[in-house]
């Protein structure tokens, strides 16, 4: 179980870099968000060009 959690964290770290890259490639009119669905978090863990929605790191998967 611990091994799976560490693997998830490594994957998320790598995907965070991709979020930044895609945000630059697609520009300010395209929001890119990465959600952490591990351990029941269901929250934004990386976001680029968030001026479109105002979401930020730590926000839930959906706003109610």
């Amino acid at each position: 179980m611990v091994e799976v959690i560490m693997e998830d964290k490594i994957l998320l770290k790598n995907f965070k870099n991709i979020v930044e890259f895609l945000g630059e490639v697609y520009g300010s009119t395209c929001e890119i968000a990465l959600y952490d669905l591990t351990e029941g978090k269901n929250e934004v863990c990386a976001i680029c060009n968030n001026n479109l929605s105002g979401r930020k790191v730590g926000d839930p998967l959906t706003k109610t």
Side-chain angles (χ1 to χ4, degrees), residues 1-34:
M1 183 68 165
V2 172
E3 185 176 311
V4 173
I5 292 171
M6 287 304 296
E7 186 175 313
D8 289 344
K9 289 183 180 196
I10 292 168
L11 285 172
L12 283 173
K13 181 180 177 186
N14 290 326
F15 280 119
K16 287 178 183 181
N17 294 328
I18 294 170
V19 167
E20 291 298 319
F21 170 74
L22 290 175
E24 290 179 26
V25 169
Y26 288 110
S28 62
T29 60
C30 181
E31 181 176 280
I32 310 292
L34 177 66

